[in-house]
Amino acid sequence: MNNEIKYKQFEEKSNQAELGGGQARVEKQHAAGRLTARERIDLLVDADTFVEFDKFVIHHSTNFGMEKTKFMGDGVVSGYGKIDGRIVYLYAQDFTVFGGSLSRTNANKIIKVSKLAMKNGAPIIGLNDSGGARIQEGVQSLAGYADIFWLNTKSSGVVPQISAILGPCAGGAVYSPALTDFIFMVKDTSYMFVTGPDVVKSVTNEEVTKKELGGAVTHNTKSGVAHFMNEDDESSIMAIRELMAFLPSNNMDDAPRIPNNDPIDRTDEKLNSLVPADPNKPYDIKELIESVVDNHYFYEVQEHYAQNIVIGYGRMDGRTVGFVANQPAFYAGVLDIDSSIKSARFVRFCDAFNIPLVVFEDVPGFLPGTVQEYGGIIKHGAKLLYAFAEATVPKITLITRKAYGGAYCVMNSKQIGADVNMAYPGAEIAVMGAAGAVNILYRNIEGEELTKTVNEYTDAFANPYKAAEMGYIDEIIMPSETRIKLIQALEMTANKSEQNPPKKHGNIPL
Ligand code: HXC
């Protein structure tokens, strides 16, 4: 065979591999409003940067007549490429080949790129569209999954791991994403469940649709499993590109610094009237975040879940910052189980990847009641406390209004290791609000005496000066100056070097 024929054969094989499960199945995928694995990769990485590995891999199963049905690539496209010029490793499950299900060889492809990602210090991105374990391969497939889960765990905190759920993902196909750092879902075409509606019906007799059980809305609003929800594959993939721009490639790196054209000393007079003097009046904390970040650009994480706390990324003078902010516009910004878990995981991610934290605090305390107590608010609230206390990245807190009770301690207080603590002149730092405190201290007073005592308590504690007298608050600042004050604090702490005591690992209350 001469070279010309060999080259032609290579081209044909390559084209065949790129067809996945064939034209009919590709059309079915498109008709369902979903892109193919290769179309998704084209959108994800910079043009002409994708390098594919293992294009010609096939499965080795001989059960159920599988030896007669082989597709080159075997249901997953894997390799590496660049996002904004930086290397990422990736794999995209190909639903047109056995429903993107995981075979032993398919798992090996994912494992290969995941190991390279860890060894070379670059993020790993999984575009998931898979019916789970390849049924025809039995335990071989399960072993493949277990290998992937093990690697996900070893990679955790070493390189960012991102998952997009872009189709019906079941069984093992959801546990690997669950071990990764961020999960993106598509509104009407992606699902995550351990088992689908049919099994649910046979086991629990519960009637539930695919969407109710594991659609994007469910996981973005109810379960908190997912972090982002987008309209379609393309917007989901674009959102991944945006997230990547905020993150470092690995835990030894800093996030990329973007040239900043937004003046660092930009003041905002509107902020002086954003926070109402009445501690019971709501306001939208996102207005503050959006006012102070570079070019007003805030990338919110878990926007639809536990909205009483806001988390996400913005840049301050070009550097990535992780924001954690109580949201007085939603349940008064109270700390409950969901908001504690949501923010604790975010704080730990930022700490693992050298992203400084800025905390905006306005919180009435922990949500009381049997629902919360039976649900374990004590241990879940402790997660947030633990996460802030253990974090060694620069940590800045600004108390915008209420810092009551345990919530004062939890929300990155000086005592649990914050580097700079600031407060607005209207801040109230106390064990609880005036009315509640007087009610406990003087149970039998009423009328004028009650009003007088509440006023005395308010004068004594509803301000930031008691804490400032003790040095627990470093600076009291005008709201309009928030941006420059935060940038100064972040600059001052940029070279912070702190280490926790050596240990195998801590024991965060799970
Ligand atoms: C082999 C599979 C498959 C699987 C789908 N296919 N899932 N092949 N193993 N797990 C094949 C189908 O036979 C079909 O092949 C093609 O993929 C498309 O599937 P459809 O059912 O036609 O598509 P759709 O109607 O969109 O439904 C998608 C689906 C459904 C919801 C994912 O296929 C499904 O319920 N699959 C099984 C899910 C599951 O229970 N997996 C095992 C989980 S256990 P053709 O040739 O017709 O195109 C698990 C263990 C690990 O993962 C647990 C670790 C903790």
Side-chain angles (χ1 to χ4, degrees), residues 53-54 57-61 71-78 90-114 127-134 137 140-141 143-145 147-148 173:
F53 286 159
D54 297 335
V57 155
I58 45 171
H59 70 73
H60 303 297
S61 172
F71 297 92
M72 281 179 287
D74 198 34
V76 66
V77 183
S78 61
L90 60 95
Y91 65 88
Q93 290 167 332
D94 182 353
F95 194 80
T96 69
V97 175
F98 304 114
S101 58
L102 191 104
S103 66
R104 180 67 253 185
T105 48
N106 173 310
N108 290 346
K109 289 178 66 169
I110 295 174
I111 290 163
K112 186 188 275 186
V113 285
S114 303
L127 306 179
N128 298 271
D129 191 352
S130 163
R134 182 154 320 157
E137 290 208 11
Q140 295 246 45
S141 168
Y145 266 130
D147 283 339
I148 293 171

Side-chain angles (χ1 to χ4, degrees), residues 25 28 34 95 98-99 101 130-136 142 145 149 168 170-173 175 210:
R25 288 196 186 85
K28 204 173 156 197
R34 281 142 66 201
F95 194 80
F98 304 114
S101 58
S130 163
R134 182 154 320 157
I135 295 164
Q136 299 91 330
L142 300 183
Y145 266 130
F149 302 155
Y175 268 101
K210 234 169 36 171

Side-chain angles (χ1 to χ4, degrees), residues 289 292-293 298 310-314 316 321-325 346 358 360:
I289 302 175
V292 299
V293 292
F298 178 54
V310 174
I311 55 174
Y313 298 106
M316 299 294 283
V321 172
F323 287 88
V324 178
F346 180 76
V358 167
F360 291 146

